[in-house]
Amino acid sequence: MTPSPWLLLTPPVLGGIIGYFTNDVAIKMLFRPYRPIYFWGRRLPFTPGLIPSNQERLAQRVSSAIMGSLLTPDELQDIARRLLDPVRVQSAIEWVLRLALDQIQQDKEQRTAKILARILEDLVGESLPRAIKALARREDFLEAQLNQLFDQVLLDLQLTNAQSNQLANWIIEIVFPPDALRQGIVDFLTDRNIQIIDDSLRNKTSGSYWIVANLLGVRNALTRLRTYLLDDREGGNALITEVISTLNLQRRLSEWLQNFSLQNLPVSTVRQLRKTMRDTVRAYVQSQGEEILQGLSGSVDWNKVAILLVNRLQVSEVVNSSLEPVSRELALVLERYLERDLEVIVAQIIPVLDLDRVIMDRVNATSPADLEAAVQGIVRSELQGIVNLGGILGTLVGCIQSIIFLSTMN
């Protein structure tokens, strides 16, 4: 008896259909249903799907796999080295510097200038005075600088003819005018000083001077001179003026000032002058430097100074041309620092980043539909191959059944 063709074709067809759709359903059940389904208050088995029902455990496994084998400390160090390549770092630093400069140029409210003004005011009015006062206690405070100033400026300083004339006129007319000289002579010619001068001339002169000193004496002359200068103020001033003019003191003083130079003094005297100048400056700065700088800071309009500096920075070619070398040097400094401490830095960063927790939170926050779409997007062809393989295996099993059935009929 010959079997019907339908009996032979049915097992392969049904096997193929069952195998194909069984695999397809099994793959879909990995993700679906997305939520549990309840019937009569009971949750149906296999709801939700395998992955949604175990999403938290999946997140832990994914996090452990990534942190255990992919994002290890050594791998993070390699990533950091690639990211912090000196060329990239230099470009980033230069970009930040140019962005800051552009921000300063676009600052309409002068906020940068206000901040700079406060910094300058604090620096000059508070920080610098305290620092200078503390440094002035040191014996070598400004020693090299003051010595250089003395050796290169004061030691070679010599007045010109015009300068010496002007200084001589100032000394005679302002510092020591006739009235000041008259009062100085009166103050000097006390009875005691007159007695000392008279005794000295009597005892220490010889020849004609001895005769004058002992026979005539100078006590009466000096006493009458003092009385005249006290009683006739205008006459005394006129007399002193005439003496200055007759002796040509202004010209003599001018010549002396013009010819005066510290180089003509003995070496020991020059050294003592240099030390005296240094000690005087140090003592003055130590006692008055803080007050002077604070007063100077209070008299300066730092807002205007800061605005001038900021405006200058905005158009300065030096600043623009310095951005590249500055960024390059900063990048090299960062590279040297990372070469030494990168391992320590990464070890400190990993707990701060808490990457395993971030990965777990991201996986848990991803909806099952998005997980399915992501997996399907990655292995769509492989999953479809599994479905097709199920259909092929089902067809083969059906063919075997048809062959067995046909053999048993014969």
Side-chain angles (χ1 to χ4, degrees):
M1 180 178 178
T2 302
S4 173
W6 290 105
L7 293 176
L8 297 177
L9 293 176
T10 299
V13 172
L14 291 177
I17 293 173
I18 292 172
Y20 182 90
F21 285 100
T22 300
N23 281 6
D24 186 55
V25 170
I27 291 174
K28 291 185 180 299
M29 288 180 65
L30 292 173
F31 303 95
R32 302 182 186 184
Y34 300 140
R35 294 180 178 83
I37 299 175
Y38 294 92
F39 184 76
W40 292 98
R42 295 176 178 271
R43 183 170 65 87
L44 296 180
F46 307 108
T47 62
L50 180 62
I51 290 180
S53 62
N54 296 277
Q55 191 164 350
E56 184 175 353
R57 187 170 59 181
L58 175 65
Q60 293 177 351
R61 293 292 181 87
V62 171
S63 175
S64 299
I66 293 176
M67 296 303 298
S69 59
L70 298 179
L71 293 181
T72 61
D74 293 338
E75 184 63 27
L76 288 175
Q77 291 180 27
D78 293 337
I79 294 173
R81 288 191 182 93
R82 291 195 296 270
L83 290 176
L84 299 176
D85 181 74
V87 177
R88 293 193 183 96
V89 173
Q90 178 183 345
S91 301
I93 294 176
E94 185 175 355
W95 177 79
V96 171
L97 293 177
R98 293 192 182 278
L99 181 63
L101 187 61
D102 293 339
Q103 183 65 31
I104 292 175
Q105 293 174 350
Q106 297 173 5
D107 188 6
K108 303 300 182 182
E109 299 179 0
Q110 299 292 345
R111 289 175 295 182
T112 304
K114 294 177 182 178
I115 296 173
L116 180 60
R118 291 196 294 269
I119 294 174
L120 292 175
E121 184 176 5
D122 177 76
L123 178 63
V124 178
E126 299 295 336
S127 302
L128 187 59
R130 290 196 295 266
I132 289 180
K133 187 174 182 179
L135 292 174
R137 299 189 182 99
R138 299 174 53 180
E139 293 294 334
D140 59 346
F141 175 68
L142 294 179
E143 180 177 1
Q145 293 77 12
L146 292 176
N147 288 341
Q148 184 177 10
L149 175 65
F150 186 91
D151 295 338
Q152 297 183 1
V153 178
L154 298 181
L155 194 60
D156 296 331
L157 181 64
Q158 193 165 8
L159 300 178
T160 63
N161 186 34
Q163 292 171 340
S164 61
N165 289 333
Q166 186 176 3
L167 182 58
N169 290 331
W170 178 76
I171 292 174
I172 292 177
E173 295 177 3
I174 304 300
V175 180
F176 299 112
D179 188 67
L181 288 176
R182 181 191 60 80
Q183 187 63 43
I185 294 173
V186 171
D187 295 338
F188 176 73
L189 293 177
T190 61
D191 291 338
R192 182 174 181 278
N193 289 341
I194 291 175
Q195 182 64 40
I196 292 174
I197 294 173
D198 184 68
D199 293 341
S200 297
L201 291 176
R202 289 177 184 275
N203 297 327
K204 297 181 180 180
T205 55
S206 60
S208 58
Y209 296 106
W210 182 89
I211 297 175
V212 173
N214 285 273
L215 296 180
L216 302 177
V218 295
R219 176 193 295 272
N220 293 333
L222 294 177
T223 302
R224 287 196 299 270
L225 175 61
R226 182 183 64 183
T227 303
Y228 173 73
L229 294 178
L230 281 173
D231 295 341
D232 191 355
R233 180 176 179 178
E234 295 182 356
N237 291 341
L239 177 62
I240 293 174
T241 302
E242 183 179 358
V243 171
I244 292 175
S245 177
T246 302
L247 297 178
N248 204 1
L249 290 181
Q250 191 274 338
R251 181 180 62 82
R252 295 175 182 273
L253 180 59
S254 176
E255 291 177 353
W256 181 83
L257 291 173
Q258 186 176 357
N259 295 327
F260 175 78
S261 176
L262 293 179
Q263 294 181 353
N264 298 330
L265 299 177
V267 176
S268 59
T269 303
V270 173
R271 290 177 178 174
Q272 184 62 37
L273 284 175
R274 184 170 64 178
K275 183 178 183 302
T276 302
M277 183 196 74
R278 187 172 65 248
D279 294 341
T280 302
V281 171
R282 188 170 67 87
Y284 182 79
V285 171
Q286 187 173 356
S287 60
Q288 303 293 331
E290 184 175 5
E291 290 78 6
I292 291 175
L293 287 176
Q294 289 177 346
L296 176 64
S297 176
S299 64
V300 175
D301 189 347
W302 291 111
N303 286 325
K304 292 183 178 179
V305 173
I307 291 173
L308 291 175
L309 291 176
V310 170
N311 292 335
R312 177 57 184 166
L313 288 175
Q314 293 175 358
V315 298
S316 175
E317 292 295 334
V318 176
V319 173
N320 291 324
S321 61
S322 299
L323 294 180
E324 182 179 355
V326 168
S327 60
R328 183 170 58 251
E329 291 299 323
L330 290 176
L332 293 176
V333 171
L334 181 59
E335 181 185 15
R336 289 193 292 268
Y337 175 72
L338 292 176
E339 288 178 353
R340 186 187 64 185
D341 297 328
L342 181 59
E343 183 177 355
V344 177
I345 295 173
V346 171
Q348 294 174 348
I349 288 177
I350 290 177
V352 175
L353 294 178
D354 198 10
L355 293 176
D356 51 351
R357 174 56 57 184
V358 172
I359 295 172
M360 291 175 58
D361 292 342
R362 293 303 300 168
V363 174
N364 286 324
T366 304
S367 64
D370 292 336
L371 283 176
E372 181 182 12
V375 174
Q376 290 282 3
I378 297 173
V379 292
R380 182 182 302 273
S381 60
E382 287 78 1
L383 293 178
Q384 187 61 43
I386 294 174
V387 173
N388 296 336
L389 180 61
I392 295 172
L393 292 177
T395 302
L396 291 176
V397 171
C399 292
I400 294 173
Q401 289 178 347
S402 296
I403 293 171
I404 294 173
F405 176 73
L406 182 61
S407 63
T408 57
M409 290 294 295
N410 295 330

